[in-house]
Amino acid sequence: MLFHVRMDVNIPRDLPQAEAGEIIAREKAYSQELQRSGKWRHIWRIAGEYANYSIFDVKDNEELHAILTGLPLFKFMTIKVTPLLRHPSSIRDDDT
Ligand SMILES: O=C(O)CC1=CCC(=O)O1
């Protein structure tokens, strides 16, 4: 199942810089591992915002929930999920 996910990150200003840096490094490793596995298909920075648009390809809602709640930055994020399905006019083979 494909999901479009918007993640807005809001790290508190009073979080020590070293702690923030460590969480961001863990977030990057977590994300890149999921990208290599094919579950996190795309990630795009939203210009001018500390936010991203991502596409996930997972088995079901439960798997997506587990991935998102496992994000090291999860507690500092606002997340919006939109389920996707193939458009009947699509000419792309990888839209499902
Ligand atoms: O910087 C972000 O948009 C948050 C994030 C998600 C995965 C990652 O590496 O950073």
Side-chain angles (χ1 to χ4, degrees):
M1 295 174 71
L2 291 174
F3 294 91
H4 176 276
V5 178
R6 175 174 174 138
M7 301 176 206
D8 287 86
V9 185
N10 190 356
I11 298 175
R13 288 185 191 281
D14 60 355
L15 192 73
Q17 215 174 338
E19 198 177 325
E22 185 269 329
I23 298 169
I24 290 166
R26 281 197 288 119
E27 179 85 10
K28 183 174 182 173
Y30 182 85
S31 164
Q32 291 186 337
E33 186 57 36
L34 285 161
Q35 288 176 63
R36 279 189 283 272
S37 80
K39 290 182 190 296
W40 195 326
R41 271 211 207 168
H42 296 280
I43 180 167
W44 296 94
R45 175 63 76 219
I46 301 174
E49 300 185 43
Y50 192 1
N52 72 74
Y53 282 129
S54 290
I55 302 291
F56 287 86
D57 185 0
V58 292
K59 187 162 53 83
D60 52 24
N61 294 11
E62 203 171 329
E63 184 177 21
L64 181 69
H65 183 74
I67 288 171
L68 296 179
T69 54
L71 289 163
L73 280 172
F74 178 73
K75 65 181 171 188
F76 304 129
M77 284 179 167
T78 302
I79 297 178
K80 186 174 185 316
V81 175
T82 307
L84 302 174
L85 63 153
R86 185 178 179 81
H87 192 284
S89 303
S90 175
I91 61 165
R92 294 183 57 102
D93 291 335
D94 63 349
D95 274 2
T96 50

